[in-house]
Amino acid sequence: MNSREFKIAVVPGDGIGMEITEQALKILNKISKKYHTKFNYVNLKVGGCSIDAYGEALTEETLKKCRECDALFLGAIGGPKWDNFLGDKRPEKALLTLRSELGLYANLRPTKVFDELKSASPLKDSLLENGIDILVVRELIGGIYFGKRGTVIEDGIEKAYDTESYTLEEVERIAHVAFESAMKRRKKVTSIDKANVLDSSRLWRKVVTEVSKEYPKVQLNHMYIDNAAMQLVRDPSQFDVILTNNIFGDILSDEASMLTGSIGMLASWSVGKGTYGMYEPIHGSAPDIAGKNIANPLAQILSAAMMLDYSFNMTEAAKDIENAVKNVLRKGYRTVDIWIEGMINVGTKEMGELVLEEI
Ligand code: NAD
C-alpha cells in the first residue's frame, strides 16, 4: 500500500473542545498506522484561548496556517470567560470569520439514530419505527449572520437591527450541494423558507426550483420554517435532505440533533470548492461540564471519520471508526448524556479508549 500524507489544522478551542479533540486524535493516530497514512498536525488556537494568548480570537497567522492545510479539525469555541467581549471581538465571531475566509459555504449535518441509542431519543417508539436519516444542508456564510446590523438611537428610542439577504448565486451554489447530496441518498430535497413573509425566502424558493430542473430524479418540496419545526418532531422519517438558510439551519439542526438522543453524538462538516473541509461536532464548548471528564467525545470522533471520508477519500478508514463507535455502544458503554438504566457509565477518556480498542 502506498503511504500518503495529509496536513491537518487542529483547533481544539475552548471548554470541552480540548478533551474531546484529544480522544479523536488518539483514534486518528491509530488509523494513521493501520492505513499507512501520515497525518501532520498543525496545532492552532482560535476563540477564547486565542484571546488569552494573542489578544484576539483569530489571528492572521492562524488563518494563514489553516489555509495551508488539507483540512481543519475543530473542537468548540467560546465560554462565559469571554462573554463580556462585544460584537466582532467575541470568540464565536472568529468561527464565522474562519468559515467565510475559507469559503466554506455549505454545512452538512447528518442526523441518524443509532439503533443502539433509540431509547435515548425523546420521541415515542412509534415515531422512530421508520428510522431517522436526515442530512441538513445549511447555507453557512450568508444571510442574517453576515448581513448589515447595528444598534442606533432613533427619535430617542434605542433600536437594533439585523439584515437577512441572499444573492441568486449564494442560493444557487448551496442548492447544488443539496441536490447532489440527495442523488447519493433517497433523492428527496425539502427546501425550507418563510416565503409567505420574506423577500429573501421568495428568491430562495425561486432559485431552488430553478436548480431542481437540473436534477429530474430528485423530488423537491418546499416547506415553511414554522411547519418544518413541527414536522421534524411529528414525522421525522418524511425528510431525506433538508436544504435551508443560515439561521433556519442553525435552529433546525439542533432540533434534529435532539431526535437522536444527544447533541454529543452528531458531527458536521463544512465545505466550499474542492476537497478542503472543516470538521466539527455540532455542539458548543459546554462550559457547564468542561474539565470534568464527562463530555461525550463521539461527535468529535465521528467528525474525524467524516474528514477521512470526504477530504482524504479514506472511506474504509471512516467506516472502521463508525463501526468501532457502534460496537462500543452495542456493548452498553455510555457517557452520561446518553446513559440510561442498565448501561455502563464511562467518562470522556474511557470512551475514547474503548473506541480505540475496537479499531
Ligand atoms: P453547548 O452545545 O455547548 O451545550 C448545550 C448543552 O449540551 C449543555 O448542557 C452541555 O453540557 C451539553 N453538551 C454539549 N456538548 C456535549 C457533549 N459532547 N457531551 C455531553 N453534553 C454536551 O451550547 P451552549 O451552552 O449554548 O454554548 C456554550 C458555549 O459554546 C457558548 O459560548 C456558545 O457560544 C458556544 N458555541 C460554540 C459552538 C462552536 O464552537 N461551533 C457552537 C455552539 C455554541
Side-chain angles (χ1 to χ4, degrees):
M1 190 187 279
N2 290 332
S3 163
R4 296 186 303 160
E5 260 187 60
F6 295 104
K7 200 167 161 185
I8 306 172
V10 178
V11 180
D14 307 312
I16 61 169
M18 193 68 86
E19 299 165 60
I20 55 172
T21 304
E22 195 185 315
Q23 301 316 311
L25 291 182
K26 283 201 289 206
I27 312 283
L28 281 174
N29 289 341
K30 189 151 182 192
I31 289 286
S32 157
K33 289 200 187 89
K34 186 168 172 183
Y35 291 87
H36 310 284
T37 303
K38 192 167 176 211
F39 300 129
N40 298 306
Y41 305 120
V42 181
N43 294 305
L44 298 168
K45 286 186 198 303
V46 176
C49 56
S50 174
I51 294 179
D52 289 350
Y54 316 118
E56 52 183 316
L58 175 65
T59 67
E60 275 299 325
E61 183 62 16
T62 302
L63 188 56
K64 184 171 163 276
K65 286 185 174 155
C66 288
R67 281 204 181 97
E68 288 165 0
C69 290
D70 298 304
L72 202 167
F73 191 55
L74 185 120
I77 278 168
K81 184 177 172 194
W82 306 280
D83 273 353
N84 293 334
F85 286 80
L86 296 175
D88 284 356
K89 301 249 176 304
R90 286 185 67 86
E92 294 84 348
K93 179 68 173 69
L95 200 53
L96 299 187
T97 309
L98 207 50
R99 289 165 177 166
S100 68
E101 286 292 324
L102 296 171
L104 306 173
Y105 59 81
N107 179 237
L108 294 96
R109 296 184 169 194
T111 299
K112 210 172 177 170
V113 178
F114 283 82
D115 282 346
E116 296 77 9
L117 288 185
K118 272 188 176 160
S119 50
S121 171
L123 291 190
K124 286 191 288 200
D125 288 352
S126 58
L127 292 174
L128 296 171
E129 260 167 22
N130 296 326
I132 298 178
D133 184 2
I134 304 169
L135 178 70
V136 179
V137 177
R138 165 189 170 197
E139 200 290 325
L140 202 59
I141 57 174
I144 200 162
Y145 293 174
F146 288 87
K148 203 172 164 213
R149 67 170 57 99
T151 306
V152 290
I153 308 282
E154 261 180 23
D155 302 326
I157 296 169
E158 191 172 7
K159 176 177 139 182
Y161 63 94
D162 301 271
T163 319
E164 169 82 354
S165 86
Y166 271 107
T167 65
L168 185 145
E169 287 75 19
E170 282 173 329
V171 184
E172 225 170 40
R173 66 184 182 184
I174 189 75
H176 280 293
V177 174
F179 284 103
E180 271 153 30
S181 304
M183 285 297 287
K184 295 180 204 145
R185 296 173 46 99
R186 303 195 303 283
K187 300 189 177 55
K188 185 178 174 191
V189 170
T190 304
S191 175
I192 290 165
D193 60 40
K194 189 72 185 167
N196 49 345
V197 179
L198 304 175
D199 265 16
S200 54
S201 278
R202 283 191 275 277
L203 176 77
W204 182 277
R205 194 173 275 223
K206 185 179 90 176
V207 176
V208 171
T209 306
E210 207 46 46
V211 171
S212 75
K213 292 176 186 159
E214 294 177 43
Y215 302 88
K217 289 194 177 138
V218 180
Q219 181 200 338
L220 167 69
N221 69 316
H222 300 278
M223 196 178 274
Y224 297 136
I225 175 65
D226 37 351
N227 184 24
M230 192 250 292
Q231 294 295 336
L232 255 182
V233 285
R234 198 191 70 86
D235 178 18
S237 64
Q238 70 181 285
F239 297 105
D240 176 17
V241 174
I242 286 180
L243 163 63
T244 192
N245 70 11
N246 205 341
I247 187 167
F248 296 158
D250 194 5
I251 299 164
L252 279 188
S253 54
D254 269 24
E255 184 188 351
S257 77
M258 258 333 278
L259 305 181
T260 69
S262 170
I263 199 166
M265 288 299 301
L266 294 184
S268 80
W269 77 104
S270 304
V271 290
K273 284 196 184 112
T275 56
Y276 191 98
M278 173 164 148
Y279 299 83
E280 55 179 322
I282 76 154
H283 58 72
S285 59
D288 53 335
I289 58 167
K292 295 182 180 163
N293 191 40
I294 56 172
N296 186 345
L298 294 180
Q300 185 70 331
I301 290 171
L302 291 167
S303 298
M306 280 181 176
M307 177 170 69
L308 299 178
D309 195 2
Y310 296 99
S311 280
F312 306 160
N313 203 17
M314 295 176 67
T315 307
E316 203 187 322
K319 288 248 154 46
D320 206 347
I321 297 180
E322 281 163 24
N323 287 335
V325 168
K326 279 187 193 155
N327 287 343
V328 170
L329 294 173
R330 196 170 300 130
K331 289 178 181 171
Y333 296 105
R334 304 280 190 274
T335 42
V336 70
D337 55 308
I338 48 174
W339 181 84
I340 49 160
E341 201 64 42
M343 297 292 148
I344 310 152
N345 184 208
V346 293
T348 312
K349 281 189 190 139
E350 294 71 26
M351 186 55 108
E353 288 298 327
L354 287 161
V355 177
L356 199 64
E357 279 166 25
E358 294 288 337
I359 295 200

